Structure formats: structure tokens, C-alpha cells
């Protein structure tokens, strides 16, 4: 359960201590990102959140690849409802907005991520509504970047995404071929060379459609 007042404190910290900057691979999208002087880890510890890694503070390889795929194929979601599943910074939802999506929802379990993605949406003049489990919205397109990074996460997320695919949603996955990626359930569509979580060496990340 979120700590009382966390939303406002997170908003203050992000806007005052993080830097809003354009992404090198998508210069039309800007997100709040930490610098070595931001004190992000110390702030999380002071809030009792040091056990929740700040995945939202960085662009992951799968999300980066999805953002490029949507730039190159806006027809995939033009005017359609979209869910950014495991949204983190909201990068993929922002890319969907840039590509002309209709209603956009975003969901993430981290309460600070939810604050960050709304700030990022406002900074990019995009409208993204928050959504919470246990159910997924009836979105036509589900975008899932970097949601298969360990077996426990796969066990939680794959059934939800498969259920969305079975009801008719098109589920697109972005992932830099991590070990837990369920390739037997995925159809490859494209691949991009991207940075992953601010790393110095680019990685190859695939775009996949989840089989219903």
C-alpha cells in the first residue's frame, strides 16, 4: 500500500531532482531521467522503497525497440485503444500517442512509476490513463516491453497477456532476447539495435506478436 503522501513527494522529487531530456533514439519523446547527482537511490531508501528497483527511471531495450517499431508502423494502432503493460516510464505509451493511438492506458505495479509516467505524459502533451489489476482493459492493442525478464515475472504476466490475445487483442512484445523470453509463444516481427537501461553497449531487441 502506498505510503501516505508518497504521490506528491514523488512528483516533487522527480520534477526537482531528475532531468527532463529527449531520448537519443526517439528525440521527439522526452522523459525524466536521473543523473549521478539526483540522489534517486537515497530518496527511495528514505521512503522505504529501496526494495523496489527504479526500473521506470531508464529506457529498457524492449521498450526502446517497441517505440521504434511504432514509429515505423503507425498503422498498427492508429485510432485504436492501447494498453502499455508494465509501463515503467511510459515510453511505449508515449510512442503510441505519437503514432496516433486513440485511448491509451498504462499500468505498472510501482507507485513511483505511476507518478513518473504521468509526469512524462504531461511533458509530452499526451493523455495516458492509469489502469490497475486484477483485470486488463478491453484494449485493441496491448504493448508489453521488457515484461519477461525472469521466470517469476513470466509466470505472472504471460497468462494475463495470453488472455488478452485470446479475447482478440493484438499483443506486441519488445524484448532484447532475455533468457526467460517465451519464444515458443511468440511470432517475430522485427528487430532493432538499441541501448538497454542506459548501458554503454547496444543490444539487439526483437518485436514479437504473442500467439492467441
Amino acid at each position: 500500500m502506498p505510503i501516505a503522501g508518497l504521490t506528491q513527494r514523488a512528483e516533487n522529487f522527480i520534477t526537482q531532482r531528475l532531468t527532463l531530456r529527449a531520448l537519443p533514439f526517439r528525440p521527439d519523446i522526452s522523459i525524466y531521467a536521473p543523473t549521478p547527482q539526483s540522489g534517486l537511490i537515497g530518496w527511495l531508501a528514505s521512503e522505504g522503497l529501496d526494495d523496489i528497483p527504479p526500473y521506470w527511471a531508464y529506457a529498457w531495450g524492449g521498450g526502446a525497440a517497441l517505440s521504434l517499431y511504432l514509429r515505423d508502423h503507425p498503422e498498427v494502432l492508429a485510432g485504436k485503444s492501447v494498453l502499455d503493460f508494465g509501463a515503467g516510464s511510459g515510453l511505449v505509451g508515449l510512442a503510441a500517442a505519437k503514432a496516433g493511438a486513440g485511448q491509451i492506458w498504462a499500468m505498472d505495479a510501482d507507485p513511483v512509476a505511476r507518478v513518473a509516467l504521468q509526469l512524462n505524459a504531461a511533458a509530452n502533451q499526451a493523455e495516458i490513463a492509469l489502469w490497475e489489476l486484477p483485470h486488463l482493459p478491453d484494449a485493441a492493442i496491448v504493448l508489453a516491453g521488457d515484461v519477461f525478464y525472469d521466470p517469476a515475472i513470466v509466470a505472472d504476466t504471460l497468462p494475463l497477456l495470453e488472455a488478452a490475445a485470446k479475447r482478440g487483442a493484438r499483443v506486441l512484445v519488445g524484448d532484447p532476447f532475455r533468457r526467460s523470453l517465451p519464444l515458443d509463444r511468440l511470432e517475430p516481427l522485427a528487430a532493432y539495435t538499441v541501448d538497454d537501461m542506459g548501458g554503454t553497449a547496444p543490444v539487439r531487441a526483437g518485436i514479437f506478436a504473442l500467439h492467441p
Side-chain angles (χ1 to χ4, degrees):
M1 184 173 183
I3 301 169
L6 174 62
T7 296
Q8 187 60 58
R9 293 196 301 275
E11 182 174 326
N12 291 341
F13 179 83
I14 291 168
T15 55
Q16 294 170 16
R17 300 295 299 275
L18 273 59
T19 301
L20 182 65
R21 58 190 177 204
L23 295 167
F25 57 90
R26 282 296 306 258
D28 57 328
I29 296 175
S30 296
I31 67 170
Y32 283 96
T35 69
Q37 293 75 41
S38 295
L40 175 58
I41 300 305
W43 179 80
L44 290 171
S46 73
E47 293 286 348
L49 299 171
D50 44 330
D51 60 336
I52 305 176
Y55 295 140
W56 54 268
Y58 307 93
W60 286 42
L66 268 174
S67 77
L68 295 175
Y69 183 79
L70 298 178
R71 177 201 64 189
D72 295 343
H73 300 279
E75 72 282 356
V76 169
L77 43 66
K80 296 179 181 176
S81 57
V82 172
L83 170 64
D84 184 356
F85 181 91
S89 67
L91 165 60
V92 176
L94 294 172
K98 298 284 185 181
Q103 171 70 59
I104 302 171
W105 293 284
M107 57 184 298
D108 197 287
D110 183 344
V112 182
R114 294 196 290 270
V115 175
L117 73 86
Q118 289 195 301
L119 290 172
N120 290 332
N124 289 272
Q125 294 81 51
E127 292 188 13
I128 298 179
L130 292 176
W131 189 274
E132 294 188 16
L133 289 173
H135 307 294
L136 301 188
D138 191 21
I141 307 290
V142 177
L143 303 170
D146 306 284
V147 299
F148 297 125
Y149 52 88
D150 72 36
I153 297 298
V154 174
D156 288 339
T157 60
L158 186 56
L160 290 170
L161 296 175
E162 287 181 327
K166 286 176 182 176
R167 67 156 172 78
R170 182 166 172 78
V171 180
L172 298 179
V173 172
D175 195 281
F177 297 92
R178 293 188 176 90
R179 185 177 303 173
S180 299
L181 186 65
L183 286 169
D184 60 324
R185 304 291 297 122
L186 302 171
E187 174 190 351
L189 301 177
Y192 294 87
T193 299
V194 294
D195 293 335
D196 186 29
M197 292 190 69
T200 56
V203 299
R204 181 171 173 266
I207 304 299
F208 310 88
L210 180 68
H211 296 304

